[in-house]
Amino acid sequence: MAGDVRHGGGQLVGTRACPTRQDGPETAGPRTTGPRPAHHEVLAFAAVGLLAYAVDLALFTCLRGPAALDPLTAKAVSFVAGCTVAYAGNARGTYRHARRRGLRPYAAFFAVNAAGAVVQLLCLTLSLPHSRLRSSGGTPIGLGLTSQLADTVSGAGIGMALATVLRFWGTRTLVFPAEGRVGSWTG
């Protein structure tokens, strides 16, 4: 019953009475529902990332198993496939308003994802028992952790979390920058 005039100067919009000024337009703004734009961006980025991770993992498993490729070749192929899925999902979904086309944004996206992979590898390297990283005095920098659980926590836990933050920032800032973004909390 939109448009019905109620006693007291309110106008019924859907099922919500919106007060109006007697001498002008409505003072109540449009009602918003759902997450705020920043939350929507983070959730969409995470959903695309999960899909890309699933593609990476499934392809790596298939290339290592039935295809019998060596681990580095299988991971390189699955990494590129995962990056491509993530780029397509972010370009057509999360950042569809950016309208960037061509090879340059894909190359920047690939570089950001490669930097994320380096972060994960560094986290894993720092936890290894015989790290080749040495301080200026020759002392090993590694933490000397030896269990598979330590490798999982450092590489897939801490490394993944740090890499995801880097990837989100890099994708948002370098690959799909919003012109005139006000109050950006990521740069």
Side-chain angles (χ1 to χ4, degrees), residues 10 38 106 121:
Y106 178 75
L121 289 174

Side-chain angles (χ1 to χ4, degrees), residues 118-135:
V118 168
V119 166
Q120 285 181 269
L121 289 174
L122 282 174
C123 288
L124 181 59
T125 301
L126 287 175
S127 76
L128 295 175
H130 302 292
S131 176
R132 292 189 175 141
L133 298 175
R134 305 231 178 242
S135 69

Side-chain angles (χ1 to χ4, degrees), residues 81-179:
C83 283
T84 303
V85 167
Y87 177 78
N90 281 308
R92 296 174 191 254
T94 310
Y95 300 103
R96 65 185 167 276
H97 60 276
R99 304 275 188 232
R100 294 198 63 193
R101 305 257 190 258
L103 193 56
R104 179 172 283 170
Y106 178 75
F109 187 81
F110 188 83
V112 165
N113 278 276
V118 168
V119 166
Q120 285 181 269
L121 289 174
L122 282 174
C123 288
L124 181 59
T125 301
L126 287 175
S127 76
L128 295 175
H130 302 292
S131 176
R132 292 189 175 141
L133 298 175
R134 305 231 178 242
S135 69
S136 59
T139 308
I141 295 176
L143 299 175
L145 304 175
T146 58
S147 71
Q148 186 175 359
L149 176 61
D151 291 345
T152 302
V153 168
S154 62
I158 297 167
M160 178 68 84
L162 293 174
T164 299
V165 170
L166 174 69
R167 287 176 175 125
F168 179 72
W169 174 84
T171 300
R172 185 176 206 255
T173 306
L174 304 174
V175 182
F176 300 109
E179 300 301 323

